[in-house]
């Protein structure tokens, strides 16, 4: 099995990892990851005031499914705020971001590659 088994736990018990780069206040708690395929399930956390403008607009080669657990983010390109309870499904090549979170935001994210 390339991904670990995890029975129900509090996600806060997973150690947060700062996400590298120039953005401060962005961290993740990886639930599972397949290092061979690149698939990933994680909790993504924005501290209040986090701004990802320095990363620019994002485009990637994997599918991404997002659920906002708490808080909100503003897509600075669209000038639109997305809030708790909202979902997104982004196919490879879809442009999105950069983001700013005034109050902080917690998201559940799944990334996977389709062949």
């Amino acid at each position: 099995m390339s991904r670990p088994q995890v029975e129900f736990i509090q996600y806060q018990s997973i150690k947060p990892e700062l996400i590298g780069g120039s953005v401060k206040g962005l961290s993740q708690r990886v639930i599972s990851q397949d290092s061979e395929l690149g698939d990933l399930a994680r909790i993504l956390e924005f501290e209040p005031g986090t701004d990802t403008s320095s990363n620019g607009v994002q485009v990637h080669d994997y599918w991404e499914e997002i659920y906002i657990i708490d808080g909100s983010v503003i897509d600075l390109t669209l000038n639109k705020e997305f809030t708790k309870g909202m979902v997104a499904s982004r196919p490879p090549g879809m442009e999105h971001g950069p983001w700013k979170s005034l109050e902080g935001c917690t998201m559940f994210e799944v990334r996977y590659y389709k062949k």
Side-chain angles (χ1 to χ4, degrees):
M1 178 183 303
S2 59
R3 294 173 96 160
Q5 274 186 200
V6 177
E7 189 49 75
F8 286 104
I9 61 172
Q10 292 293 324
Y11 77 84
Q12 296 93 336
S13 68
I14 300 170
K15 183 179 177 185
E17 306 166 2
L18 293 177
I19 296 174
S22 60
V23 175
K24 300 217 182 324
L26 201 53
S27 62
Q28 66 180 0
R29 298 172 192 261
V30 176
I31 299 166
S32 68
Q33 184 171 15
D34 185 322
S35 57
E36 290 179 24
L37 296 176
D39 295 349
L40 170 78
R42 70 179 181 171
I43 302 295
L44 180 61
E45 297 172 301
F46 289 70
E47 290 180 13
T50 300
D51 185 335
T52 69
S53 293
S54 62
N55 288 345
V57 172
Q58 299 292 296
V59 179
H60 38 69
D61 60 349
Y62 48 82
W63 279 87
E64 184 175 62
E65 313 291 347
I66 306 283
Y67 170 71
I68 299 176
I69 298 169
D70 199 23
S72 67
V73 292
I74 300 166
D75 183 307
L76 297 173
T77 300
L78 299 175
N79 193 30
K80 186 169 181 180
E81 185 173 23
F82 300 100
T83 58
K84 177 180 178 176
M86 296 180 92
V87 298
S89 180
R90 300 183 186 126
M94 180 179 169
E95 294 185 353
H96 54 286
W99 306 96
K100 184 172 187 172
S101 182
L102 301 176
E103 63 180 309
C105 188
T106 303
M107 301 180 187
F108 174 67
E109 176 183 341
V110 176
R111 294 180 181 178
Y112 56 95
Y113 291 85
K114 285 184 111 171
K115 300 191 186 218

